[in-house]
Amino acid sequence: MKKLMRFTVALALVCACIVPINAQSSTLAKAQSYWLNNNELSGLDAVLAVESLGLDVEDEKNNFTLNYSFEAPTNSYGDEITYEEMDAGYLAKNIMALAAIKSDPAKLKLKDGSTINLIDLLKSKIDENGNVDYGSANPESSTAYTMFALAIVDESYNLDKLGLNLTEMQLSDGSWGYNGAWGGPDITGWALAALSLCNNTYQASIDKALAYLASIQIDNGGYSGFGVNCNSQACAVWGILEYDIQGVKNGTYNKGTGNPYDLLLQFMQEDGSFGASLDVDYGNAYATVQAALTVGVYENGSLIDNIKAQYDEMLNPKNDQPEPTPAPAPAVSYTHLRAHETK
């Protein structure tokens, strides 16, 4: 059964410095400070990491620069690509990032002036049996990210067929890998997070995944599938947090005296970045992105739930302005009318 604790962490910027308030941890403040000081975001994963930490990319005061154009998207090699050419997983990640920055993926304007509905396009890449078009990528991560995106932008969409296909890709040891091979904690974490969206429908598969992660865990809390490294640790812990955040905090997933999240923090450098391994004293770009996202989920709750909340707020903006108190009627009767601004 999916067990999530959702809570809001208040953020304050004072003199351009992050100040921990309302129980905000020093770890979160340090991670936020890193991204505010290194504010060029190189791709979709960076957007998700920053948003997970509670920093709005679209907020001008944060001064973020995104080195990626949704109007003219590119692939991982920097070559321009159309959305129609994307595999389902990469398209899903675009949708997630757009929703996170409160830009409607159903009404995306392209550089040629045309408008495209990325949500409908993603659905068209899923066949009637729940198989996704994964192109030259892999079906495991493509299916997981497709589930993430649809859970955010279409809560009425039935994820069961996608979830069933994902369970059928699970390897005999309980892990997921790349194209049915090389099972490890990275994609296992993503798959675990995705199946958590189906509540307890695929609990047997979730239990098998958790057993796999426990089997490769060493006494310091690290997952040693590919040797203990920051990327794998962050992905595995993110998946467990999406499934059972309170269990991570209560020590349910400890090994010996080692908590897997606490072990992840040992990769953190003085500037708030994360090293790829425990024996380095400098940050690694990919490790920093993966770890920052996981820190954000630990501190602020489910990434999927929080992006969904931002997407829903974009579709249904709230009027934060209080209703004005009517002025006393003057001697000559007339009505004061005031238009209310909507944030």
Side-chain angles (χ1 to χ4, degrees):
M1 181 176 180
K2 183 179 180 183
K3 297 173 279 185
L4 296 173
M5 181 178 72
R6 299 175 173 88
F7 57 93
T8 302
V9 177
L11 302 176
L13 292 175
V14 178
C15 299
C17 296
I18 304 271
V19 179
I21 60 172
N22 291 359
Q24 177 178 315
S25 77
S26 59
T27 299
L28 179 61
K30 192 174 181 179
Q32 290 175 333
S33 180
Y34 171 83
W35 286 99
L36 290 172
N37 291 325
N38 298 271
N39 54 9
E40 286 194 18
L41 307 181
S42 56
L44 304 172
D45 289 305
V47 172
L48 299 179
V50 166
E51 291 285 340
S52 176
L53 290 170
L55 298 172
D56 288 334
V57 173
E58 71 277 12
D59 192 332
E60 291 183 357
K61 74 173 181 289
N62 291 330
N63 200 31
F64 286 119
T65 300
L66 177 57
N67 295 328
Y68 182 85
S69 172
F70 291 102
E71 292 75 20
T74 54
N75 60 21
S76 58
Y77 300 103
D79 301 322
E80 194 166 319
I81 184 175
T82 68
Y83 285 105
E84 289 84 357
E85 293 171 326
M86 289 182 184
D87 65 83
Y90 192 47
L91 175 59
K93 195 176 287 188
N94 274 267
I95 290 172
M96 292 173 68
L98 282 164
I101 64 175
K102 297 180 182 177
S103 182
D104 194 351
K107 301 175 182 178
L108 178 62
K109 190 172 182 178
L110 303 179
K111 70 173 183 178
D112 64 3
S114 64
T115 301
I116 188 171
N117 186 326
L118 298 188
I119 300 173
D120 285 348
L121 180 59
L122 179 61
K123 291 177 181 178
S124 75
K125 292 180 179 288
I126 308 169
D127 71 17
E128 61 183 8
N129 297 313
N131 300 297
V132 303
D133 176 4
Y134 59 90
S136 60
N138 65 81
E140 296 91 346
S141 62
S142 291
T143 301
Y145 271 89
T146 296
M147 293 174 71
F148 296 154
L150 290 175
I152 291 167
V153 299
D154 187 354
E155 62 182 354
S156 67
Y157 192 92
N158 190 331
L159 299 174
D160 285 351
K161 286 184 178 180
L162 288 163
L164 178 60
N165 279 335
L166 193 55
T167 65
E168 292 174 348
M169 299 175 205
Q170 191 172 25
L171 301 177
S172 60
D173 65 356
S175 70
W176 280 265
Y178 298 82
N179 293 295
W182 301 98
D186 304 62
I187 295 187
T188 299
W190 300 342
L192 176 57
L195 291 179
S196 298
L197 298 170
C198 299
N199 297 313
N200 62 349
T201 303
Y202 301 112
Q203 189 64 44
S205 186
I206 289 174
D207 291 342
K208 193 174 179 181
L210 292 172
Y212 160 75
L213 290 173
S215 74
I216 64 168
Q217 192 176 23
I218 60 178
D219 286 343
N220 66 359
Y223 297 110
S224 61
F226 300 120
V228 177
N229 65 85
C230 186
N231 297 336
S232 295
Q233 191 74 15
C235 292
V237 175
W238 174 34
I240 300 173
L241 287 170
E242 291 286 349
Y243 169 66
D244 182 12
I245 190 171
Q246 200 57 48
V248 175
K249 295 183 177 184
N250 290 342
T252 301
Y253 304 98
N254 287 11
K255 178 70 176 288
T257 59
N259 179 282
Y261 178 75
D262 291 344
L263 189 280
L264 177 65
L265 298 187
Q266 293 183 31
F267 293 91
M268 196 175 205
Q269 307 297 310
E270 286 300 317
D271 65 353
S273 65
F274 285 77
S277 60
L278 290 172
D279 59 353
V280 300
D281 59 0
Y282 53 88
N284 170 274
Y286 188 66
T288 299
V289 166
Q290 294 289 339
L293 186 152
T294 303
V295 168
V297 173
Y298 183 91
E299 297 281 354
N300 298 327
S302 166
L303 175 71
I304 311 305
D305 288 349
N306 287 336
I307 296 180
K308 183 181 184 304
Q310 295 198 71
Y311 179 71
D312 291 345
E313 181 182 340
M314 178 202 67
L315 294 180
N316 304 289
K318 296 179 181 179
N319 187 346
D320 293 331
Q321 300 295 326
E323 290 293 327
T325 302
V332 178
S333 179
Y334 62 91
T335 303
H336 292 285
L337 299 177
R338 181 179 180 182
H340 301 295
E341 295 180 352
T342 301
K343 184 176 179 182

